[in-house]
């Protein structure tokens, strides 16, 4: 493309990593071996990327940390080279040591710095923060290298300030290359349904329901169901994963999974304490949550996200573990175990992004966001089942059974699809704020709100002088029809009518004793009176904001006047064919028949 930064979009299961392996082979054909650098948001993801690409990879934070050392190393090399050039005895042992140190520095700088013609592939780029990506791109462009960001805007974003990947995708539009053939799922219908889910298409709900992939119930019943289904899959020899949107639910699912494995004798009941109050014994599957390069397993080391099987439990609280799906063993120290090791049977969707298993069982509630649902529903090759909490209680610890209204599973899933959780970039956030600030409907609503606050005291005074008893005035003010009544007052004034003079007559027209809602009745009388007087004529242009909102008169407070005038002009700017304003018509008082 000739760009220094490109993007590749790949929905879940389309084979992004396989595509990157092909890209690496093609690039090295032109630029030679070691011309491709692979980065990923976590050490475990970087290891998986490296295994697929066949090259050394690193996580973005570690790579940037080492890259930032280049200026200091370069300055040290400069001083060392200067000392060597001035050395009085170039053949001496001391000079030889300086030359060896110089070679070490050259090697260290070369390892940390990019060079012209290199390609940097950043996997799961939606998870990278904006500042991280900015540094990576600066490092690449400064060296004459190229960056390819690979990811999916519909999946989870960075926990830091993010949105840069999505910004690039939206900015380039149709020019962005995208993988479209979903390969992960065995069922053809699920391939199509996953794409609908990604686009927040509600027809996806029909697909999952019609194929028996949606179960509804309360939280406790669903926890039992999720665990039972997971246990059956594991017993059948399948790789399976339980997913939830919050850590409390993940901990509960892990607790049930371990209890079940202890019950059938595949896990020792006695164990050591883990992070979050969990326990792990021999036979348990655990996951490490902190990178520690000092804990080595031959060629590898302990990474955040690595999964292990416990081989033995030691008296000091340490664990001997063996890597799952790979080779290598290591002893995890007691302090590391207590702070950075968890059970691995269930996890959050955030931590599962990038993983693939045979089956996935995902808990869904009204608090779930669209991106979490999409990730959770696309981890399994054979099946992905959604367990929808239709009696969701945001605070179950203090809630009461039966106090929460039950929803249909479809309604919950529809809410989730509408609940977008991805972060916008700072640029997009500013643009959205500007669009909202110039939106005529928003400005008109602000105009209405300012008027209501500014005129509240005036209309209360008008009501008190209308002949209504004090109790009735308070009843009007507490009525849901009070707001519409105030709007009716302003509409009448916008037509040039004298509301203050006419309201006492409108109150005396008939008795109000039998009225169920005095405010609603007055609203009707004011509207009928105004329509009779103006004979159905439309409001004068100068008295209307944006063609619909009646313009207020009689306000003198300079701050309020300025706020209303600014919004009035902004509304008119947003309506291209808005008629030119005219001078307001003279007000007059209508006779009440």
């Amino acid at each position: 493309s000739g760009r220094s930064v490109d993007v590749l979009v790949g929905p879940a299961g389309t084979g992004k990593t396989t595509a990157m392996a092909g890209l690496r082979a093609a690039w090295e054909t032109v630029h030679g071996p070691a011309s491709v650098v692979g980065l990923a948001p976590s050490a475990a993801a970087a290891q998986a990327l490296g295994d697929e690409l066949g090259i050394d990879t690193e996580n973005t934070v570690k790579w940037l940390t080492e890259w930032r050392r280049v200026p200091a190393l370069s300055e040290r090399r400069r001083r060392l080279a200067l000392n060597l050039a001035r050395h009085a005895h170039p053949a001496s042992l001391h000079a030889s040591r300086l030359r060896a140190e110089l070679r070490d520095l050259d090697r260290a700088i070369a390892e940390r710095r990019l060079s012209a013609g290199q390609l940097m592939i950043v996997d799961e780029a939606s998870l990278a923060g904006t500042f991280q990506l900015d540094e990576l791109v600066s490092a690449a462009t400064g060296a004459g290298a190229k960056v390819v960001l690979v990811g999916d805007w519909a999946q989870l974003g960075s926990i830091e300030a993010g949105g840069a990947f999505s910004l690039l995708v939206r900015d380039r539009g149709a020019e962005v290359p995208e993988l479209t053939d979903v390969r992960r799922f065995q069922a053809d219908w699920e391939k199509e349904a996953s794409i609908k889910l990604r686009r927040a298409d509600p027809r996806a709900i029909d697909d999952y329901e019609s194929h028996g992939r949606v179960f509804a119930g309360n939280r406790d019943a669903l926890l039992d169901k999720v665990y039972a289904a997971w246990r059956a899959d594991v017993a059948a020899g399948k790789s399976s994963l339980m997913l939830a949107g919050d850590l409390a639910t993940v901990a509960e699912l892990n607790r049930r999974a371990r209890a079940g494995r202890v019950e059938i004798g595949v896990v020792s009941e006695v164990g050591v304490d883990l992070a979050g109050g969990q326990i792990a014994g021999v036979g348990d599957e655990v996951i490490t949550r902190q990178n520690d390069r000092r804990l080595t397993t031959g060629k590898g080391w302990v990474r955040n996200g690595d999964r292990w099987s416990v081989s033995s439990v030691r008296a000091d609280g340490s664990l001997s573990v063996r890597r799952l799906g790979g080779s290598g063993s290591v002893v995890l120290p007691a302090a590391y175990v207590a702070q950075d090791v968890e059970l691995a049977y269930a996890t959050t969707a955030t931590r599962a992004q990038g993983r693939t298993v045979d089956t996935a069982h995902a808990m869904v509630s009204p608090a779930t966001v669209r991106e979490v649902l999409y990730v959770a529903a696309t981890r399994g090759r054979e099946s992905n089942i959604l367990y929808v909490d239709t009696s969701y209680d945001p605070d179950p610890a203090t809630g009461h059974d039966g106090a929460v209204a039950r929803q249909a599973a479809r309604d919950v899933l529809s809410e989730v699809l509408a609940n977008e959780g991805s972060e916008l970039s700072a640029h997009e956030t500013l643009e959205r704020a500007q669009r909202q600030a110039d939106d005529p409907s928003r400005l008109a609503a602000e105009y209405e709100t300012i008027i209501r606050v500014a005129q509240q005291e005036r209309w209360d005074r008008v009501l008190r002088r209308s002949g209504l008893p004090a109790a009735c005035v308070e009843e009007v003010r507490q009525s849901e029809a009070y707001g519409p009544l105030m709007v009716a007052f302003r509409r009448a004034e916008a037509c040039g009518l004298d509301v203050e003079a006419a309201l006492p007559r409108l109150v005396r027209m008939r008795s109000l004793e039998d009225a169920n809602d005095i405010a609603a009745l007055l609203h009707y009388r004011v509207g009928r009176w105004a329509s009779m007087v103006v004979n159905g004529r439309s409001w004068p242009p100068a008295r209307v904001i944006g063609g619909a909102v009646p313009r207020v008169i009689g306000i003198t407070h300079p701050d309020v006047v300025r706020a209303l005038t600014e919004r009035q002009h902004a509304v008119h700017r947003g309506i291209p064919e808005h008629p030119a304003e005219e001078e307001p018509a003279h007000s007059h008082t209508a006779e009440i028949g």
Side-chain angles (χ1 to χ4, degrees), residues 270-291:
V270 178
V272 299
D273 293 337
L274 306 180
Q278 301 173 346
I279 296 175
V282 175
D284 266 319
E285 294 180 9
V286 297
I287 189 167
T288 47
R289 288 299 177 201
Q290 182 68 34
N291 294 331

Side-chain angles (χ1 to χ4, degrees), residues 33-323:
S35 59
V36 177
V37 177
L39 298 180
S42 70
Q47 179 64 46
L49 177 65
D51 292 343
E52 186 71 28
L53 268 59
I55 60 175
D56 291 333
T57 55
E58 189 55 90
N59 73 76
T60 52
V61 173
K62 174 64 174 175
W63 192 92
L64 285 170
T65 300
E66 296 300 327
W67 177 74
R68 292 173 192 139
R69 293 183 58 197
V70 170
L73 291 172
S74 298
E75 176 60 20
R76 183 179 171 188
R77 187 203 182 283
R78 186 189 67 81
R79 293 180 179 179
L80 190 64
L82 186 61
N83 290 339
L84 185 60
R86 296 172 177 175
H87 204 287
H89 305 285
S92 66
L93 179 61
H94 180 259
S96 296
R97 290 173 178 170
L98 289 180
R99 281 190 287 271
E101 188 176 353
L102 200 61
R103 287 192 296 270
D104 290 342
L105 282 171
D106 286 338
R107 186 166 49 251
I109 292 171
E111 289 173 350
R112 290 166 171 80
R113 188 165 57 188
L114 296 171
S115 58
Q118 279 192 302
L119 172 67
M120 176 186 285
I121 299 176
V122 183
D123 193 18
E124 298 290 357
S126 66
L127 290 172
T130 298
F131 293 112
Q132 283 185 355
L133 290 180
D134 182 58
E135 274 198 279
L136 292 174
V137 171
S138 296
T141 54
K146 180 183 178 73
V147 178
V148 173
L149 306 177
V150 184
D152 183 11
W153 51 263
Q155 297 189 48
L156 296 165
S158 171
I159 59 174
E160 303 172 358
F165 180 79
S166 297
L167 171 66
L168 284 174
V169 173
R170 295 189 183 103
D171 182 64
R172 296 183 180 177
E175 296 182 21
V176 174
E178 181 169 351
L179 304 174
T180 56
D181 188 5
V182 180
R183 302 169 179 272
R184 175 175 296 164
F185 311 116
Q186 293 183 356
D188 289 337
W189 73 265
E190 193 163 9
K191 296 178 182 180
E192 298 176 4
S194 70
I195 295 299
K196 293 176 186 175
L197 200 66
R198 178 175 181 262
R199 296 172 178 166
D201 186 340
R203 292 177 298 175
I205 302 172
D206 298 327
D207 296 334
Y208 283 92
E209 285 186 330
S210 64
H211 288 87
R213 297 290 183 84
V214 178
F215 293 98
N218 61 45
R219 183 175 184 272
D220 290 337
L222 291 178
L223 287 170
D224 291 338
K225 204 171 191 68
V226 168
Y227 166 63
W230 172 86
R231 181 177 61 183
D233 286 344
V234 172
K238 300 177 181 179
S239 61
S240 187
L241 187 61
M242 296 182 285
L243 297 157
D246 61 283
L247 294 177
T249 304
V250 168
E252 176 60 22
L253 290 170
N254 273 322
R255 186 194 66 77
R256 295 187 185 209
R258 183 175 194 277
R261 289 168 67 81
V262 169
E263 185 179 349
I264 62 176
V266 297
V267 168
S268 171
E269 183 174 4
V270 178
V272 299
D273 293 337
L274 306 180
Q278 301 173 346
I279 296 175
V282 175
D284 266 319
E285 294 180 9
V286 297
I287 189 167
T288 47
R289 288 299 177 201
Q290 182 68 34
N291 294 331
D292 196 327
R293 295 171 190 262
R294 299 167 299 178
L295 302 175
T296 59
T297 60
K299 294 183 179 180
W301 46 276
V302 174
R303 294 173 170 83
N304 176 18
D306 282 347
R307 298 172 62 249
W308 313 80
S309 175
V310 178
S311 304
S312 65
V313 176
R314 304 194 175 190
D316 63 352
S318 60
L319 291 177
S320 178
V321 296
R322 176 179 50 81
R323 193 186 299 276

Side-chain angles (χ1 to χ4, degrees), residues 430-443:
L430 179 60
E431 284 188 336
R432 176 177 289 188
Q434 289 172 335
R435 288 195 302 270
Q436 291 176 342
D438 294 334
D439 181 7
S441 61
R442 178 189 177 98
L443 291 164

Side-chain angles (χ1 to χ4, degrees), residues 325-346:
S327 59
S329 299
V330 68
V331 175
L332 303 176
Y336 184 94
V337 169
Q339 295 179 9
D340 300 306
V341 176
E342 302 171 1
L343 293 174
Y345 308 115

Side-chain angles (χ1 to χ4, degrees), residues 284-477:
D284 266 319
E285 294 180 9
V286 297
I287 189 167
T288 47
R289 288 299 177 201
Q290 182 68 34
N291 294 331
D292 196 327
R293 295 171 190 262
R294 299 167 299 178
L295 302 175
T296 59
T297 60
K299 294 183 179 180
W301 46 276
V302 174
R303 294 173 170 83
N304 176 18
D306 282 347
R307 298 172 62 249
W308 313 80
S309 175
V310 178
S311 304
S312 65
V313 176
R314 304 194 175 190
D316 63 352
S318 60
L319 291 177
S320 178
V321 296
R322 176 179 50 81
R323 193 186 299 276
L324 287 171
S327 59
S329 299
V330 68
V331 175
L332 303 176
Y336 184 94
V337 169
Q339 295 179 9
D340 300 306
V341 176
E342 302 171 1
L343 293 174
Y345 308 115
T347 187
T348 62
T350 302
R351 292 173 173 176
Q353 183 162 312
R355 286 189 62 182
T356 303
V357 292
D358 293 329
T359 64
H361 303 274
M363 290 277 288
V364 181
S365 77
T368 305
V369 297
R370 180 197 307 169
E371 293 80 7
V372 168
L373 174 63
Y374 175 57
V375 170
T378 53
R379 299 304 95 198
R381 302 182 190 90
E382 297 179 16
S383 68
N384 296 275
I385 301 178
L386 308 177
Y387 300 80
V388 183
D389 187 348
T390 53
S391 300
Y392 176 68
D393 186 348
D395 188 14
T398 59
H400 301 279
D401 292 340
V404 179
R406 184 181 178 87
Q407 294 180 272
R410 182 180 185 83
D411 292 339
V412 174
L413 291 173
S414 296
E415 289 178 19
V416 171
L417 288 181
N419 187 15
E420 184 178 3
S422 61
E423 182 181 14
L424 295 176
S425 67
H427 182 78
E428 291 172 303
T429 301
L430 179 60
E431 284 188 336
R432 176 177 289 188
Q434 289 172 335
R435 288 195 302 270
Q436 291 176 342
D438 294 334
D439 181 7
S441 61
R442 178 189 177 98
L443 291 164
E446 291 178 1
Y447 190 93
E448 290 269 13
T449 302
I450 294 170
I451 291 171
R452 178 165 182 170
V453 173
Q455 289 197 316
Q456 178 92 43
E457 185 176 344
R458 178 199 171 197
W459 292 128
D460 287 349
R461 184 172 62 253
V462 169
L463 285 170
R464 288 194 296 270
R465 294 174 178 173
S466 68
L468 283 173
C472 292
V473 171
E474 185 59 27
E475 181 182 335
V476 169
R477 294 184 75 255

